[in-house]
Amino acid sequence: MSPLTALRARALAAALACALLGALPSVAPAQSGALFLLVPFGAQAVGRGEAVAADRTLGTEGIWWNPAALARLDKREAAVHHGQSVVATTDMLAFAVPSRVLGTLAAGAYVVNYGDQQATDPVSGTPIGTITNRSYLAALSYASPAGKRLNVGLSYKFLMLRFQCSGACGDVPVISGSSSALDVGAQYLLPTRTPVTVGASVRNVGPALQVKDAAQADPLPRVIQAGVNAELPVRALTAAGASLAVAADLQQAEALGGAAVGVGAVLGYRKELFLRAGYKLQSGDARGPSFGIGYHRGGLAVDFARRLGGLSAQLGEPPTFVSLRARF
C-alpha cells in the first residue's frame, strides 16, 4: 500500500469510527425531521429488497446507501435515478469520477416532489394560487480502497424542505428548513473461497432540522445498516455464463419503528441481463416483496424495480423505480 493510499485509508477510517461511536447511544424517540431520507432509492437497491450495505457494484446508488460502494468504480458514471409512488416523485442526478491515485469523488442533486395543490378563496372558491411542497438534497461523496479488501467512504449532505404558495394565497404560510448530515460506510471482502463481502453504513448523522419559526427542531432519522453479500459458485450457472448473488441486511432506525430486515438475490447472465428479487420486513405497512430487472450493454445501463407492499401499492400505484446510467 502506497503512503498516499494509507493516509487516505486512515483518515476515512477515523471519520467512520467517530460516526459509529456517535450513533451508539440511544437516540431521541421522535426522529421526525426530513423523513424523505428514509424513502427507498435506486432501482438496483429496491429490486433486491434494499439489502445493499455490502454490495460493491452499486455505483452512484452508493451515494444514498453506502458511500464505500463507490471505492472501486473503474469508470466515470453519470446517472439519473427516478422514483414514483402515490406520495411523491423523486429524482436524482448523479456523477462519479474514479481515480487510481485519489479515490472516487461523486456528487448528486436530489428532489422530492410531493405535488402541487390549488389554493382557493375560502368564500368564493376562486383559485388564488398554487401550493408547492418540495424537499431538496445535495450530496458530495468520497470513497477509497484501502488495500485489496477494504473499502471506506463518506458523504456530506445538505438538505432543505420548502412549503410555499405562489399567488395571492392569503394566510398560507411559507415553511422552510435546512440541515446537513454525514454518512460513513465501509465494506470488506472476506478471505474466503466464495466471494463474501460484509458492509455497514451510518447515515444521517447531523444537527436537527430547524424549520423557520418552529418552536422545536426535529432530529434527523439516523439509520444504521449492516449486511452481507455472497456470490454463490453454482457450477451449472457458471457454465452457462450466469451468476448468482444473495444478500441480507439488518437496518436500525427509530423513525421506522426499530429494526428492519431486507433479503435479496440477483441472477445475472453474461453481465448483461440481471433479474432481482427481494423482501423487506419492517413494522407498519412498508413490508413486502420487490422485484427488478436490468440490462447493461457497453457503457449504458437501464434498471427497473417495483415494490409490491405498502400503502402506495394498496392504493393502486406500487412504488416504481428506474435508473439510467452511462459509464465511460
Side-chain angles (χ1 to χ4, degrees):
M1 185 186 300
S2 68
L4 181 58
T5 301
L7 181 61
R8 293 202 313 265
R10 285 196 296 268
L12 288 172
L16 174 62
C18 291
L20 284 170
L21 289 173
L24 290 178
S26 60
V27 293
Q31 293 185 333
S32 56
L35 291 179
F36 73 92
L37 295 172
L38 301 175
V39 173
F41 173 85
Q44 287 190 182
V46 172
R48 55 185 296 175
E50 302 170 35
V52 292
D55 188 352
R56 295 153 64 100
T57 67
L58 280 176
T60 51
E61 289 188 32
I63 296 174
W64 190 265
W65 296 102
N66 187 348
L70 294 159
R72 298 181 192 269
L73 197 65
D74 58 356
K75 294 182 179 180
R76 289 174 291 180
E77 178 177 305
V80 178
H81 302 287
H82 173 79
Q84 179 73 53
S85 71
V86 73
V87 177
T89 299
T90 62
D91 291 283
M92 176 185 274
L93 297 176
F95 190 72
V97 180
S99 168
R100 292 184 179 180
V101 177
L102 300 177
T104 300
L105 187 66
Y110 183 66
V111 179
V112 182
N113 182 353
Y114 301 98
D116 298 338
Q117 181 179 351
Q118 192 176 69
T120 59
D121 184 275
V123 178
S124 64
T126 304
I128 57 176
T130 302
I131 300 173
T132 60
N133 190 1
R134 305 283 190 274
S135 295
Y136 305 92
L137 181 145
L140 185 65
S141 300
Y142 176 72
S144 174
K148 295 182 179 181
R149 299 185 180 278
L150 179 64
N151 297 339
V152 287
L154 58 86
S155 294
Y156 170 79
K157 302 184 294 191
F158 175 78
L159 52 106
M160 180 176 67
L161 59 85
R162 189 165 181 84
F163 177 92
Q164 63 181 9
C165 185
S166 60
C169 294
D171 295 331
V172 176
V174 175
I175 300 174
S176 63
S178 63
S179 185
S180 58
L182 183 69
D183 297 354
V184 292
Q187 296 175 329
Y188 184 74
L189 178 63
L190 299 178
T192 54
R193 293 185 61 183
T194 299
V196 177
T197 303
V198 293
S201 65
V202 180
R203 305 197 298 272
N204 311 327
V205 179
L209 177 68
Q210 179 64 58
V211 177
K212 182 180 179 182
D213 297 329
Q216 180 176 327
D218 294 318
L220 299 181
R222 187 176 305 172
V223 180
I224 302 173
Q225 185 166 345
V228 59
N229 184 86
E231 300 174 23
L232 302 183
V234 182
R235 290 185 179 181
L237 292 177
T238 303
S243 61
L244 177 64
V246 295
D249 276 23
L250 177 64
Q251 188 179 99
Q252 174 67 31
E254 292 298 319
L256 290 174
V261 176
V263 294
V266 181
L267 177 64
Y269 179 68
R270 295 186 176 180
K271 297 183 179 181
E272 292 185 357
L273 180 64
F274 299 89
L275 301 178
R276 304 181 179 96
Y279 193 92
K280 185 71 177 291
L281 179 63
Q282 66 184 60
S283 62
D285 64 352
R287 68 179 66 192
S290 59
F291 72 92
I293 186 170
Y295 182 70
H296 301 188
R297 185 66 181 269
L300 300 178
V302 56
D303 294 284
F304 170 89
R306 175 164 283 180
R307 293 187 68 181
L308 302 180
L311 177 63
S312 187
Q314 294 171 12
L315 295 177
E317 190 173 344
T320 303
F321 302 83
V322 178
S323 295
L324 304 175
R325 66 189 83 215
R327 290 183 175 176
F328 52 95

